[in-house]
């Protein structure tokens, strides 16, 4: 990696480039490792999605048998969530949070490296199922008693459990690190309510990880005991309770979805102000909304269990629908930020606007699902698949690309090509809506999810075909992105310290920043210290 | 961006108008209520959607950067922020109240419902009537549930293996079929079909390899026709057991954990033989013999934990055949039968 | 923790202690999940809740109560150790650490022995499963604490702690007290409230 200024010599002796990356405890390098690792898993899980979509394009089993199909969506869901979308935001956060709060590094650099390196280990374990006679095939939700030894005898399920436990432990260690960093390592003047919104969303996200992940770890261990040591937690034939698994899983699973989305919403809240040249409208409201979503997320888990017949529907319908309020506050704050702004449509900005428009659809479909009677119809149909991709892909994964375009210059010192970026966005946007919009309708017409095949006379063929075509268009859209990253790394234009006229502290140092980040910090008197510095003569601060 | 918007402007309404965005024609009284609720909530969602996307598009077009001036730096405005917290709150309350009304009326129970017991198993269904009649499907031959239209029908949903879910899209309601342990009452689902007809349904909770094959139909008939049918449902006659001669060749086969004990059987060609099949688990299995697509023999179902049945099979020409469990036509329950 | 971590001392809690407290809160949720499983199993259990038929009733004597007292005492000795070093008395610290370590090991031995006497196994019904899972994971945590104490003892032996610099001792002591509290909760639920 090229640096624009001489970095203080950190190592007295020369180490090989590879060894340097393998042993690094620098938060920036670890962040880059996280991001690279996550993209590898994204491409693999995306290929599995193409397998799924190809099989479903037309009725009949053409490419894979049922068991392979079931492994495909299980691995697709598991890897996308636990090894792509969650860790990649940990990667961006690793890179930029210390910069944004003016810290030299994370609080525990070595634990930081450890929690990264557990990820390829855990992911490897999960994928290793393919080598021992079949990967796990119980869905990413691993419902019981289907995942008991009796019904899923292979080692793939045990590897899935162990892999997830490793990944979970890694994320707990990571969250201890992030929270300590944010609490204790802020630069002088960086009070909590001057922190960039992205840092706030990371703070709430990591608190959710800290409190939700151990519950799934406990459940996974209990399942492992059931499968391997004759335990009877979840198997009704020996006195266990299959519904207990669902409670434990979703007690974690629902906070998990906000773990995924909050950082993406944070990124939007960094990008919109920069490219509108306005402050985020209602900063404090935004912070409180984020905290509110975090708190509410622990009280809604049973909206995934409406059809089990054993949960108290009014309570969970009500609490779930309530989440629309703080989320709505965020949307309106964004719109007000754009209002009377001075907007430029860089690739990062396009993706941020893409999130606002697409996550909205996912949010509305979520609120429809929150109504228990409507959910009776839509639960476990493609409507849910559509919902989850509008929030995961249209919300979070778009946030990944927005972050990539926004921070790539900081991380590499090079600018990405904007034309390729726009092509990427356009193809992705069209492909995404083709793939997933029709899935709402499939679900409303009653097509269940997780089926390898459907009847030719069910009337679902055309829409499935459109969806499959869209999925391949998404895959094509990745080509300009990969080309863009590779060519820009090799011979992109120099970015300079602050190519976007940014607001936050990461733009106050070189691109990429030196080992301990800052030679000197500007004074911090608001949530936009770099903006204040740039405009110190124009807008006197209140 | 602009082309995109134009494209979307044409494509979206076209898709919406195609009608697929609305639930199927409701065929039960409960479904009618759910459909109305769906439309109410859909309308609320549509208003939010149009409002937010409208503002967004307007802002994107109207406020693109034209010069290098710094716009006015608005940090917030408490009044409007309160307004736009209250608006979604109202929408949420409407949604909640209407949902609760619908929930109340669709969960009402009547005392005189026709009760049918539904058992889901990997991977099909059994429907049992209180007359003792029952019908069990196989993945290749899904069952039909005959029910009366116009009167309440109550399904008692049982499972002994994993979780399934009983779902008929035209009823707009589904319910999980959960293997509750220890004396917990099974789930029930009650509905009143408004119109005779044949409605397709299928298992909606992922339940393993052949989840997609757990299809069935509901055959709703007028009350009189239903009564007549129940008198004489035309039992799918169990093939009478022919007596087995003393010196017939016997091969043994057993099943456990949804898998056959062997995947290779060898029998003499051109003479009758017996497959002595032992089912070691409390899950239904059978053994059938196929020559490609053609069914040569279809074995009667047996349910363990330890049940043995002798299948007498008529002479086969020398060659290779497939034997399979019709309930679980997966690799673990498929094998090659060689006659030589 | 690491040498190049620039620790900003702005007063308040030292960084390692913040980290430890956060970690402990996640552990609380972990045991919370296991306890939820326990109470769920218990609530839906029909018949008499307790050791499976044929196995002897759980007794607090001769083992469970004594090891409880051992663990409680070890919390006290740990505390005395921290007090000693905050007054700069590092030889006292060493003494108390060794005692705490010994008590911790004694607890583990006692529990292992208890397992051999208890007369049912992890696969014997729901109670067997939850009993061994809960106590087993607690035991694993005690073991983790013992490892931590061993390291501390070694470092104390090398004279690495002083009145001003002993956050590691305090961090481990937090953890040790936490493990103790979990045991009290376990002991009361499994042996008394049941
Ligand atoms: C990033 C991930 C993410 C996010 C953010 C959400 C957000 C929400 N989800 Fe979603 N959800 C998933 C991921 C996510 N979900 C996944 C993966 C599943 C399936 C799991 C599985 O089974 O595999 C699922 C399933 C799921 C279900 C269960 C479906 C079923 O299986 O039957 C429900 C039911 O209530 C639900 C509801 C909601 C709601 C109410 C929100 C809300 O947070 C949305 C709030 C946002 C808005 C509403 C938009 C903005 C608001 C305004 C503009 C204000 C005005 C609007 C109104 C008043 C309506 N989700
Ligand atoms: C972050 C989460 C995430 C993301 C991003 C995606 C992305 C995609 N998902 Fe997935 N999905 C889930 C999370 C996610 N999904 C979850 C949780 C489930 C539920 C699982 C379950 O039921 O248990 C699910 C289920 C699911 C289903 C339902 C399966 C079923 O129920 O039977 C389908 C079907 O269409 C699907 C499709 C897709 C598609 C087409 C994409 C595409 O957007 C993927 C696009 C990516 C690629 C195509 C990458 C490959 C790219 C290349 C090959 C480019 C070339 C490379 C170079 C130039 C180097 N997903
Ligand atoms: Cu039975 Cu799915
Ligand atoms: Cu949820």
């Amino acid at each position: 990696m090229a640096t624009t200024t001489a970095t203080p010599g950190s190592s007295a002796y020369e180490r090989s480039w590879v060894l340097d990356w393998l042993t690094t405890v620098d938060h920036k390098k670890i962040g880059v490792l996280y991001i690279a690792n996550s993209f590898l898993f994204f491409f693999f899980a995306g290929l599995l999605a193409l397998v799924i979509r190809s099989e479903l394009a037309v009725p009949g089993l053409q490419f894979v048998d049922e068991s392979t199909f079931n492994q495909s969506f299980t691995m697709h869901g598991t890897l996308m969530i636990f090894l792509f979308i969650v860790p990649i935001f940990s990667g961006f956060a690793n890179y930029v949070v210390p910069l944004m709060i003016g810290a030299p590094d994370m609080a525990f650099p070595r634990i930081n490296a450890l929690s990264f390196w557990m990820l390829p280990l855990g992911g490897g374990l999960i994928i290793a199922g393919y080598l021992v006679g079949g990967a796990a095939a119980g869905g990413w939700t691993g419902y019981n008693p289907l995942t008991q030894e009796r019904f899923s005898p292979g080692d793939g399920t045990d590897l899935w459990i162990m892999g997830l436990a490793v990944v979970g432990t890694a994320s707990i260690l990571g969250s201890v690190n992030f929270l300590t960093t944010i609490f204790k390592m802020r630069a002088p003047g960086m009070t909590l309510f001057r922190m960039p919104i992205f840092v706030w969303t990371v703070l709430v996200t990591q608190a959710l990880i800290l409190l939700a992940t151990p519950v799934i770890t406990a459940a996974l261990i209990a399942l492992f005991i059931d499968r391997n040591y004759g335990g009877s937690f979840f198997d009704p034939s020996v006195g266990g309770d299959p519904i207990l698994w669902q409670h434990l899983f979703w007690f974690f699973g629902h906070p998990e979805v906000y773990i995924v989305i909050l950082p993406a919403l944070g990124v939007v809240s960094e990008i919109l102000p920069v490219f509108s040249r306005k402050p985020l409208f209602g900063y404090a409201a935004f912070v409180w909304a984020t905290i509110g979503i975090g708190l509410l997320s622990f009280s809604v888990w049973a909206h995934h269990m409406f059809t089990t017949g054993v949960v108290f529907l009014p309570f969970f319908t009500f609490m779930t629908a309530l989440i629309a309020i703080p989320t709505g506050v965020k949307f309106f704050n964004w719109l007000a930020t754009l209002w009377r702004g001075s907007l430029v449509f860089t690739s990062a900005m396009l993706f941020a606007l893409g999130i606002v428009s697409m996550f909205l659809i996912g949010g509305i479909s979520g609120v429809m699902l929150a109504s228990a009677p409507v959910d009776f119809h839509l639960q476990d149909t493609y409507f849910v698949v559509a919902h989850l991709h509008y929030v995961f892909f249209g919300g979070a994964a778009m946030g990944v690309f927005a972050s990539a375009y926004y921070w790539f210059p900081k991380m590499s010192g090079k600018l990405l090509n904007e034309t390729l970026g726009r092509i990427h966005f356009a193809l992705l946007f069209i492909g995404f809506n083709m793939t997933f919009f029709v899935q709402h309708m499939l679900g409303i017409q009653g097509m269940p999810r997780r089926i390898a095949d459907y009847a030719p006379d069910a009337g679902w063929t055309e829409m499935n075909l459109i969806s499959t075509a869209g999925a391949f268009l998404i895959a094509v859209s990745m080509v300009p992105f990969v080309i863009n990253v590779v060519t820009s790394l090799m011979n992109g234009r120099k970015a300079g310290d602050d190519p976007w006229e940014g607001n936050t502290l990461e733009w106050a140092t070189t691109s990429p920043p030196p080992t301990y980040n800052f030679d000197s910090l500007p004074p911090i008197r608001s949530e936009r210290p770099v903006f204040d510095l740039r405009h110190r003569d124009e807008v006197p601060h209140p | 961006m602009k082309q995109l918007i134009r494209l979307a402007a044409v494509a979206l309404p076209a898709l919406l108008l195609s009608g697929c965005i609305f639930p199927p024609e409701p065929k039960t009284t409960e479904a009618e209520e759910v459909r109305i609720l769906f439309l109410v909530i859909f309308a609320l969602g549509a208003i939010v959607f149009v409002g937010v996307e409208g503002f967004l598009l307007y802002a994107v077009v109207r406020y693109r950067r034209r010069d290098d001036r710094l716009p006015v730096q608005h940090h917030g405005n408490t009044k409007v922020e309160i307004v736009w917290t209250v608006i979604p709150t109202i929408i949420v309350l409407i949604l909640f109240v209407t949902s609760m009304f619908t929930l109340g009326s669709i969960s009402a129970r009547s005392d005189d419902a026709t009760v049918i017991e539904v058992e889901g198993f990997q991977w099909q269904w059994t429907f049992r009537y209180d007359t003792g009649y029952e019908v069990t499907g196989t993945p290749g031959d899904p069952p039909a549930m005959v029910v009366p239209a116009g009167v309440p029908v109550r399904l008692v949903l049982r499972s002994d293996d994993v979780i399934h879910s009983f779902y008929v899209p035209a009823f707009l309601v589904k319910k999980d079929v959960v293997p509750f342990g220890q004396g917990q009452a099974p789930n029930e689902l009650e509905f009143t079909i408004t119109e005779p007809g044949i409605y397709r349904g299928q298992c909606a909770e992922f339940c393993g390899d052949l989840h997609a094959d757990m299809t069935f139909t509901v055959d709703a008939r007028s009350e009189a026709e239903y009564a007549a049918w129940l008198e004489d449902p035309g039992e799918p006659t169990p093939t009478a057991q022919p007596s087995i001669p003393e010196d017939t060749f016997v091969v043994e086969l057993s099943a456990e954990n949804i898998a056959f004990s062997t995947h290779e059987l060898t029998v003499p060609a051109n003479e009758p033989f017996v497959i002595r099949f032992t089912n070691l688990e409390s899950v239904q299995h059978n053994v059938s013999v196929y020559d490609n697509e053609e069914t040569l023999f279809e074995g009667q179902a047996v349910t363990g934990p330890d049940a043995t049945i002798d299948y007498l099979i008529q002479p086969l020409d020398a060659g290779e055949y497939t034997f399979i469990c019709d309930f679980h036509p997966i690799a673990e329950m498929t094998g090659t039968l060689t006659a030589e | 923790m690491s040498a190049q971590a620039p620790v900003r001392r702005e007063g308040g809690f030292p960084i390692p202690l913040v980290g430890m407290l956060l970690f402990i809160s996640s552990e609380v949720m972990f045991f919370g999940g296991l306890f939820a499983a326990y109470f769920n199993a218990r609530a839906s259990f029909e018949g008499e809740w307790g050791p499976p038929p044929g196995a002897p009733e759980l007794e607090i004597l001769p083992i469970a109560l004594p090891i409880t007292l051992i663990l409680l005492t070890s919390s006290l000795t740990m505390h005395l150790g921290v007090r000693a070093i905050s007054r700069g008395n590092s030889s006292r610290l060493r003494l108390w650490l060794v005692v705490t370590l010994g008590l911790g090991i004694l607890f583990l031995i006692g529990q292992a022995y208890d397992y051999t006497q208890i007369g049912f196994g992890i696969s014997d019904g729901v109670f067997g499963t939850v009993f061994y899972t809960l106590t087993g994971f607690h035991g694993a945590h005690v073991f983790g604490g013992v490892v931590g104490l061993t390291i501390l003892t070694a470092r104390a032996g090398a004279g690495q702690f002083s009145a001003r610099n002993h956050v590691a001792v305090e961090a481990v002591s937090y953890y040790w007290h936490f493990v103790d509290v979990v045991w009290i909760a376990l002991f009361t639920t499994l042996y008394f409230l049941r």
Side-chain angles (χ1 to χ4, degrees):
Chain A
M1 281 194 148
T3 40
T4 46
T5 53
T7 57
S10 59
S11 52
Y13 55 96
E14 277 298 310
R15 286 191 298 177
S16 88
W17 179 83
V18 179
L19 194 70
D20 193 36
W21 279 89
L22 288 181
T23 58
T24 184
V25 296
D26 175 39
H27 74 98
K28 297 182 289 300
K29 288 190 171 160
I30 292 176
V32 172
L33 286 173
Y34 262 107
I35 294 167
N37 181 63
S38 308
F39 267 119
L40 287 182
F41 280 103
F42 171 68
F43 284 134
F44 180 67
L47 286 176
L48 290 175
L50 295 183
V51 171
I52 299 172
R53 282 305 339 150
S54 306
E55 185 52 64
L56 290 173
V58 289
L61 287 179
Q62 290 85 20
F63 302 105
V64 294
D65 60 11
E66 285 94 347
S67 144
T68 314
F69 183 88
N70 298 342
Q71 293 172 34
S72 302
F73 70 69
T74 303
M75 286 294 119
H76 166 72
T78 306
L79 296 177
M80 279 291 189
I81 294 181
F82 294 101
L83 286 141
F84 163 56
I85 199 80
V86 176
I88 201 165
F89 278 116
S90 296
F92 284 114
N94 234 296
Y95 201 105
V96 298
V97 163
L99 289 167
M100 283 180 147
I101 60 175
D105 203 321
M106 296 278 277
F108 307 109
R110 280 187 236 158
I111 292 183
N112 200 17
L114 174 69
S115 36
F116 166 72
W117 285 105
M118 287 168 82
L119 282 180
L121 172 68
L125 282 173
I126 294 171
I127 292 182
Y130 279 114
L131 308 177
V132 297
W140 83 280
T141 50
Y143 270 19
N144 274 278
L146 183 60
T147 44
Q148 291 283 328
E149 185 80 29
R150 291 196 285 149
F151 302 107
S152 308
D155 292 336
T157 310
D158 292 309
L159 288 168
W160 179 83
I161 296 173
M162 291 193 277
L164 284 184
V166 171
V167 173
T169 311
S171 64
I172 291 173
L173 292 179
S175 75
V176 168
N177 208 346
F178 274 115
L179 292 173
T180 313
T181 306
I182 297 174
F183 287 141
K184 297 300 295 182
M185 309 267 294
R186 298 192 307 276
M190 179 62 76
T191 60
L192 281 178
F193 277 83
R194 287 180 194 161
M195 292 197 309
I197 286 291
F198 182 70
V199 178
W200 263 110
T201 56
V202 170
L203 171 65
V204 175
T205 299
Q206 296 297 336
L208 293 181
I209 291 182
L210 187 77
L211 300 178
T213 316
V215 177
I216 188 69
T217 310
L220 287 167
I221 288 170
L223 178 57
F224 196 80
I225 290 174
D226 270 11
R227 289 176 56 86
N228 296 292
Y229 305 106
S232 38
F233 281 104
F234 307 122
D235 186 347
S237 72
V238 289
D241 179 2
I243 300 295
L244 171 64
W245 167 267
Q246 297 189 19
H247 280 300
L248 294 176
F249 184 88
W250 291 118
F251 186 82
F252 149 81
H254 190 83
E256 170 76 9
V257 309
Y258 297 111
I259 289 169
V260 169
I261 200 65
L262 286 178
L265 305 187
V267 171
V268 174
S269 317
E270 295 300 329
I271 292 177
L272 294 187
V274 167
F275 297 108
S276 317
R277 286 196 170 166
K278 282 183 61 195
L280 183 72
F281 192 93
Y283 172 97
F286 204 97
V287 168
W288 289 114
T290 307
I291 295 173
I293 292 176
L295 292 177
L296 280 175
S297 75
F298 281 107
S299 61
V300 302
W301 76 90
H303 64 219
H304 297 272
M305 302 164 59
F306 283 155
T307 58
T308 56
V310 294
V311 297
F312 186 56
L313 304 172
F315 176 77
F316 288 103
T317 289
F318 185 69
M319 297 309 283
T320 305
L322 274 190
I323 297 193
I325 299 168
T327 318
V329 166
K330 296 191 169 194
F331 272 78
F332 302 131
N333 283 339
W334 289 332
L335 293 181
T337 304
L338 298 175
W339 206 249
R340 303 204 173 149
S342 171
L343 279 56
V344 276
F345 301 103
T346 58
S347 306
M349 181 70 163
L350 285 179
F351 275 99
L353 293 169
I355 296 168
V356 179
S357 59
M358 293 299 105
F359 177 61
L360 176 71
I361 299 181
I364 293 175
S365 60
V367 173
M368 294 173 73
L369 290 168
S371 164
V374 173
D375 184 74
F376 289 165
H377 176 48
L378 297 174
Q379 198 261 344
D380 268 330
T381 65
Y382 261 82
F383 191 88
V384 177
V385 177
H387 162 68
L388 77 88
H389 286 92
Y390 266 86
V391 286
F392 269 152
F393 202 114
M398 289 250 199
V400 167
F401 293 117
S403 314
Y405 283 100
Y406 185 58
W407 281 311
F408 183 89
K410 182 50 59 180
M411 295 176 166
S412 67
K414 306 290 181 61
L415 288 173
L416 284 170
N417 179 315
E418 282 293 320
T419 313
L420 283 174
R422 281 180 197 153
I423 295 175
H424 175 203
F425 175 75
L427 291 177
L428 184 63
F429 193 85
I430 300 172
F432 167 77
N433 281 295
M434 260 172 87
T435 313
F436 298 115
F437 195 82
V438 289
Q439 292 186 356
H440 290 114
M441 303 191 260
L442 281 171
I444 292 172
Q445 298 313 309
M447 176 169 167
R449 63 194 283 207
R450 295 171 171 170
I451 54 175
D453 195 9
Y454 49 92
D457 57 351
W460 302 332
T461 315
E462 294 78 9
M463 287 188 274
N464 271 300
L465 206 56
I466 296 178
S467 179
T468 302
F472 280 90
L473 193 53
I474 300 180
V476 170
S477 79
M478 295 302 145
V479 177
F481 176 64
V482 173
I483 293 177
N484 200 349
V485 169
V486 173
T487 54
S488 300
L489 275 180
M490 289 189 321
N491 43 22
R493 279 194 298 131
K494 283 222 158 50
D497 293 355
D498 184 8
W500 310 129
E501 302 198 345
N503 290 337
T504 40
L505 283 180
E506 77 269 32
W507 306 109
T509 181
T510 56
S511 307
T515 305
Y516 290 118
N517 294 347
F518 298 97
D519 293 335
S520 66
L521 282 169
I524 302 163
R525 299 207 191 86
S526 76
E527 83 277 12
R528 297 189 296 167
V530 177
F531 178 93
D532 295 344
L533 189 68
R534 187 180 315 115
H535 298 280
R536 59 185 166 264
D537 308 324
E538 300 155 47
V539 265
H541 200 271
Chain B
M1 189 73 197
K2 270 207 199 118
Q3 296 95 308
L4 264 184
I5 296 161
R6 254 178 247 139
L7 187 89
V10 182
L12 272 181
L15 285 172
L16 290 176
L17 286 179
S18 73
C20 290
I21 201 76
F22 300 118
E25 272 294 288
K27 297 296 183 185
T28 65
T29 47
E30 290 76 11
E32 283 163 0
E33 309 225 9
V34 173
R35 194 170 200 270
I36 293 171
L37 178 68
F38 178 96
L39 295 179
V40 170
I41 293 180
F42 183 85
L44 292 176
I47 295 172
V48 172
F49 176 79
V50 172
V52 173
E53 302 283 4
F55 261 86
L56 184 65
L57 283 179
Y58 179 80
V60 162
V61 176
R62 171 74 178 73
Y63 297 116
R64 40 171 227 283
R65 190 167 298 175
R66 292 154 211 269
D67 53 37
D68 211 28
R69 267 184 317 190
L70 195 62
V72 181
Q73 303 290 299
H74 270 300
H75 286 268
N77 178 331
T78 315
K79 244 183 237 153
V80 298
E81 290 181 48
I82 289 175
V83 169
W84 69 44
T85 312
V86 170
I87 293 175
T89 309
I90 294 171
I91 299 181
V92 162
L93 288 177
I94 298 178
L95 179 143
F96 176 69
V97 171
T98 49
S99 299
M100 287 309 108
F101 274 116
T102 307
L103 187 62
S105 66
I106 67 174
S107 14
R109 292 273 166 276
S110 63
D111 304 329
D112 54 350
T114 306
V115 178
I116 299 172
E117 188 176 300
V118 172
E119 179 167 344
F121 58 89
Q122 283 180 318
W123 285 283
Q124 253 301 342
W125 305 89
T126 297
F127 304 134
R128 294 194 187 92
Y129 293 76
D130 48 15
T131 57
Y133 172 77
E134 69 173 58
V135 50
T136 296
T138 65
D141 181 17
M145 176 196 280
V146 180
V147 295
V151 296
V153 174
R154 176 148 73 238
L155 307 181
V156 178
L157 305 166
R158 292 181 192 282
S159 163
D160 233 358
D161 48 29
V162 302
I163 306 180
H164 307 273
S165 187
F166 185 91
Y167 179 40
V168 178
F171 296 179
L172 270 65
V173 170
K174 69 170 70 64
K175 194 77 164 219
D176 290 357
V177 183
V178 185
F180 290 120
Q182 297 211 1
Q184 199 176 337
N187 275 338
E188 295 184 346
L189 179 63
E190 192 170 311
F191 50 81
T192 306
I193 297 178
T194 46
E195 193 182 314
I198 294 191
Y199 308 112
R200 55 164 88 234
Q202 124 176 55
C203 174
E205 181 65 62
F206 177 60
C207 54
D209 276 354
L210 298 193
H211 162 58
D213 291 343
M214 283 188 69
T215 54
F216 57 90
T217 50
V218 171
D219 178 354
R221 306 187 180 180
S222 70
E223 256 189 285
E225 279 178 72
Y226 172 75
W229 173 83
L230 199 58
E231 284 286 298
D232 176 22
E235 181 98 15
T237 37
T239 32
Q241 280 287 320
S243 60
I244 296 169
E246 276 286 295
D247 54 348
T248 318
F249 181 86
V250 175
V251 280
E252 306 226 343
L253 179 65
S254 64
E256 197 171 17
N257 293 328
I258 323 255
F260 281 138
S261 51
T262 172
H263 302 281
E264 308 281 344
L265 291 178
T266 309
V267 299
N270 303 318
E271 59 175 270
F273 61 93
V274 163
I275 297 179
R276 180 159 297 155
F277 176 58
T278 310
N279 185 350
L280 295 170
E281 59 188 341
S282 49
V283 172
Q284 300 196 58
H285 295 298
N286 78 345
V287 183
S288 292
V289 180
Y290 293 86
D291 186 10
N292 289 325
E293 294 294 285
E294 191 191 346
T295 315
L296 301 180
F297 172 81
E298 194 177 324
Q300 193 188 326
V302 276
T303 307
D306 186 6
T308 302
I309 186 168
D310 282 346
Y311 295 127
L312 177 66
I313 296 170
Q314 298 309 312
L316 297 176
D317 293 335
E320 291 204 342
Y321 303 88
T322 309
F323 67 93
I324 220 168
C325 165
D326 287 318
F327 298 95
H328 308 90
I330 52 172
E332 288 76 13
M333 296 209 80
T334 307
T336 313
L337 178 76
T338 313
E340 56 183 31
Chain C
M1 291 224 75
S2 102
Q4 71 269 51
V7 178
R8 263 167 227 263
R9 292 246 171 232
E10 296 173 3
F13 250 53
I15 285 181
L17 289 191
V18 174
M20 179 54 83
L21 283 180
L22 289 167
F23 180 70
I24 287 174
S25 48
S26 127
E27 292 280 54
V28 168
M29 293 304 287
F30 176 81
F31 279 101
L34 291 182
F35 269 100
Y38 173 89
F39 285 109
N40 183 78
R42 186 192 152 186
S44 61
F45 192 80
E46 295 206 333
E48 184 145 10
W49 180 239
E57 190 42 49
L58 277 183
E59 298 292 356
I60 57 167
L61 285 173
I63 303 165
L65 186 61
I67 62 174
T68 305
L69 294 178
I70 287 175
L71 205 59
L72 279 175
T73 317
S74 78
S75 242
L76 181 69
T77 55
M78 186 74 222
H79 178 70
L80 291 175
V82 174
R83 230 173 53 172
I85 192 63
S86 55
R87 291 180 185 158
N89 190 340
S90 55
S91 57
R92 267 293 163 74
L93 169 69
R94 233 168 302 149
L95 172 72
W96 288 126
L97 281 179
V98 172
V99 172
T100 313
L101 183 58
L103 291 172
I105 293 173
L106 211 58
F107 174 87
L108 286 177
I109 295 173
Q111 195 174 35
Y113 177 72
D114 199 24
Y115 280 177
T116 65
Q117 301 300 303
I118 221 154
F120 60 89
I122 190 166
S123 57
D124 291 331
V126 190
F127 187 80
T129 305
V130 289
F131 179 86
Y132 277 96
T133 306
L134 278 169
T135 55
F137 269 96
H138 176 261
H141 281 76
V142 177
F143 183 77
V146 164
V147 171
L149 283 168
T150 313
I151 297 172
L152 277 191
T153 315
R155 289 183 61 183
Q160 290 187 359
F161 301 118
S162 65
R164 290 183 55 205
N165 177 8
H166 59 272
V167 271
V169 184
E170 273 187 76
V172 172
S173 85
Y174 283 13
Y175 182 78
W176 193 252
H177 297 318
F178 160 74
V179 171
D180 196 0
V181 170
V182 171
W183 177 256
I184 294 170
L186 266 181
F187 183 66
T188 28
T189 5
L190 289 175
Y191 289 82
F192 289 109
L193 293 182
R194 221 174 66 219

